[in-house]
Amino acid sequence: MKNPLIITIGREYGSGGRQIGQAVAERLGISFYDKKIISLAAEKSGLSHEFIANNEQRVRNGLMQNLAASAAYSSGFFSGQYLPLSESIFISQAQVIRDIAAKESAVIVGRCADYILAGRENTVNVFVHAPLEARIKRIMELYHLDEAAAMKAISTSDKERGNHYFRYTDQKWGKAQNYDICVNSALMGIDKTVEMLVSMANIEERV
Amino acid sequence: MKNPLIITIGREYGSGGRQIGQAVAERLGISFYDKKIISLAAEKSGLSHEFIANNEQRVRNGLMQNLAASAAYSSGFFSGQYLPLSESIFISQAQVIRDIAAKESAVIVGRCADYILAGRENTVNVFVHAPLEARIKRIMELYHLDEAAAMKAISTSDKERGNHYFRYTDQKWGKAQNYDICVNSALMGIDKTVEMLVSMANIEERV
C-alpha cells in the first residue's frame, strides 16, 4: 500500500500560502496542520504552547544566547534535554510531522516539513510566493495595517523564515529545486492556484 | 487588446524543459523559439550563426578576455559595436525576444527571456527542474552516454546556465520568486507537466 499523501507548503508571508493549503486540504478531504503542530509539539516536549509559539522561528545565532537557553532548559523526558531550546522545539516538531505522515494524508504548512520528510514517497513539496506589491495589499486588507506596517511585517517574517529554514536544513529557502512546485499566487489568484494544486495531487495519487 | 501570451521557460539540463516547452507551444497552437533565436539574432548582429552558437553561454569574466573579445569584434551596423562579443550576443538576442513578444504568442526557452521581458503583461515565467538521478537517466537515454559522461554534461551545463543568467540578470538562476511557476518534471512526468502548464496558460488567458 502507498504512503498517505503529504503535501508540504512553504510560503512567503502574505502570499496566501496558508489559505491555499487549507483549501487544498478541504478539497482533497485530508487533514490540515499549521499552528496545530505547535500544540502537538508542545505536549510532546513538555514546553509550553506559548513558549514554542513565541520562539519557534526566532533563530538565536549567538553562542551566549544558545548557552543561556541551554542553561535555562529544564524540561523532562524529551531527548533534546541538553540542547538549546530552539533545537528542542525543532526536534519535537519534526517528530510530530513524522508521526502525522506515518498515519494520515495531510497538508502541512511551514515548519521545514519538506526537509523533515525528504526522500519520503508520495510527498509533494510546494512553495507559494507572490510579488511584494501583492503581498503588501493582502496583509493590509487582512490585518487592517497601513502600507509601512505591512511592509515591515513582511520583511521581518521573510527574514525569520529564511533564517529558520537555513539553520535547520542548510538550504536556501525558496530555492526552486527544493520543491516539486513553486507558484506565484498572484498570477492566477488563490482559487485557481488551489485548483491547480488539487489536480496535481490527484494526478500524483493516480501515478 | 491584450499582449500576445508569452511563456518563457528556464530549465535545468536534462529536465525535459525544452521538450515540455515545445509540447506546450504545440498544444496552444503558438510559436516555439529556442535555437531559432540564435539564427535570428545572428542575422541582426552580423555575427555568424556558428560563432553565436559556440559563445552565447560561455561567460568570459576575465578583463583580458573581454578586451581581447572587444578588439577582435569588427562587425558592422549593430549598436553593440564596441562591446565585448558576449554582450553583443546578449543584446541582439534580447532584441529578437522583444520583437517576438511584440508580434505573436510564443513559448521561448532559455536566453534569460524572463528577465528581458520583466514587467510585461501576459507573460508566464516557468522554470523546469528535476532531481539529478532523473536528469542523468534522461541524458543517458537521449544521447546514448554512460553515467559519468551524462553527469559531466549536466554539471557543465548547469554551471554555464547559472553563470550566464547571473551575469546578465544579477539574479540567481532557479530562485523560485523569479518565476510564476517552477516544477519538478519528474514528479508527474513530461506529459502531465505539459497538461498542467497548458491549463495554467488557458486560465491566464481567460483572466
Side-chain angles (χ1 to χ4, degrees), chain B:
Chain B
M1 214 188 75
K2 246 182 143 175
N3 269 335
L5 171 71
I6 297 289
I7 301 175
T8 73
I9 301 197
R11 75 288 176 226
E12 286 186 335
Y13 187 65
S15 68
R18 193 183 168 282
Q19 190 189 333
I20 288 169
Q22 196 154 25
V24 168
E26 264 165 34
R27 287 275 301 275
L28 294 172
I30 62 180
S31 300
F32 174 74
Y33 290 94
D34 181 9
K35 302 245 160 134
K36 267 192 280 179
I37 289 178
I38 303 177
S39 313
L40 294 167
E43 288 168 25
K44 224 178 173 82
S45 67
L47 299 171
S48 83
H49 176 97
E50 201 186 351
F51 180 86
I52 294 184
N54 286 336
N55 289 278
E56 63 157 354
Q57 270 186 3
R58 299 226 162 68
V59 169
R60 292 141 198 266
N61 278 319
L63 176 65
M64 289 309 287
Q65 277 173 312
N66 267 332
L67 286 175
S70 295
Y73 186 58
S74 60
S75 168
F77 64 93
F78 186 69
S79 65
Q81 203 160 359
Y82 300 108
L83 291 171
L85 278 169
S86 49
E87 263 73 6
S88 300
I89 294 171
F90 182 80
I91 291 168
S92 63
Q93 289 192 348
Q95 194 51 54
V96 172
I97 287 168
R98 279 191 215 101
D99 290 350
I100 292 166
K103 71 178 207 299
E104 60 170 335
S105 288
V107 172
I108 303 175
V109 173
R111 277 89 210 155
C112 309
D114 55 319
Y115 176 79
I116 290 160
L117 300 177
R120 179 184 179 278
E121 293 272 319
N122 214 19
T123 306
V124 179
N125 297 315
V126 179
F127 184 75
V128 182
H129 57 91
L132 188 60
E133 317 83 70
R135 296 158 68 201
I136 290 173
K137 189 163 170 283
R138 190 181 158 80
I139 293 297
M140 285 173 72
E141 285 168 10
L142 212 55
Y143 301 112
H144 310 290
L145 295 177
D146 64 21
E147 198 179 331
M151 271 191 74
K152 190 161 182 260
I154 288 170
S155 134
T156 305
S157 169
D158 279 358
K159 211 176 289 170
E160 277 183 8
R161 287 181 190 175
N163 287 346
H164 182 258
Y165 193 83
F166 182 73
R167 169 156 188 184
Y168 291 108
T169 70
D170 225 3
Q171 294 276 350
K172 224 173 148 46
W173 190 60
K175 185 182 167 194
Q177 288 91 334
N178 291 342
Y179 303 90
D180 294 305
I181 189 139
C182 302
V183 59
N184 164 13
S185 61
L187 181 75
M188 303 185 286
I190 302 281
D191 294 347
K192 298 288 179 193
T193 305
V194 169
E195 233 176 71
M196 186 194 70
L197 294 174
V198 167
S199 49
M200 249 192 91
N202 284 331
I203 288 169
E204 173 65 353
E205 275 290 75
R206 268 187 273 128
V207 168

Side-chain angles (χ1 to χ4, degrees), chain A residues 11-21 128 130 135 138 185 190:
Chain A
R11 74 287 176 230
E12 286 185 336
Y13 188 64
S15 68
R18 193 182 167 283
Q19 189 189 335
I20 288 168
V128 182
R135 295 160 66 202
R138 190 180 158 79
S185 60
I190 303 281

Side-chain angles (χ1 to χ4, degrees), chain A residues 58-102:
Chain A
R58 301 230 159 67
V59 170
R60 292 141 199 266
N61 279 319
L63 176 65
M64 289 309 287
Q65 277 174 308
N66 268 332
L67 286 175
S70 296
Y73 186 55
S74 60
S75 170
F77 63 92
F78 186 68
S79 65
Q81 205 161 357
Y82 300 109
L83 291 171
L85 278 170
S86 50
E87 264 71 5
S88 300
I89 295 171
F90 183 80
I91 291 169
S92 63
Q93 290 192 348
Q95 193 50 54
V96 172
I97 288 169
R98 280 190 215 101
D99 290 349
I100 292 167

Side-chain angles (χ1 to χ4, degrees), chain A residues 90-147:
Chain A
F90 183 80
I91 291 169
S92 63
Q93 290 192 348
Q95 193 50 54
V96 172
I97 288 169
R98 280 190 215 101
D99 290 349
I100 292 167
K103 69 177 207 299
E104 60 170 334
S105 288
V107 172
I108 303 175
V109 173
R111 276 90 207 155
C112 309
D114 55 319
Y115 176 79
I116 289 160
L117 300 177
R120 179 184 179 279
E121 293 272 319
N122 214 19
T123 307
V124 179
N125 298 315
V126 178
F127 184 75
V128 182
H129 57 91
L132 188 59
E133 318 82 71
R135 295 160 66 202
I136 290 173
K137 192 165 168 284
R138 190 180 158 79
I139 293 297
M140 285 173 70
E141 286 168 9
L142 213 54
Y143 301 110
H144 311 290
L145 296 176
D146 64 20
E147 198 178 330

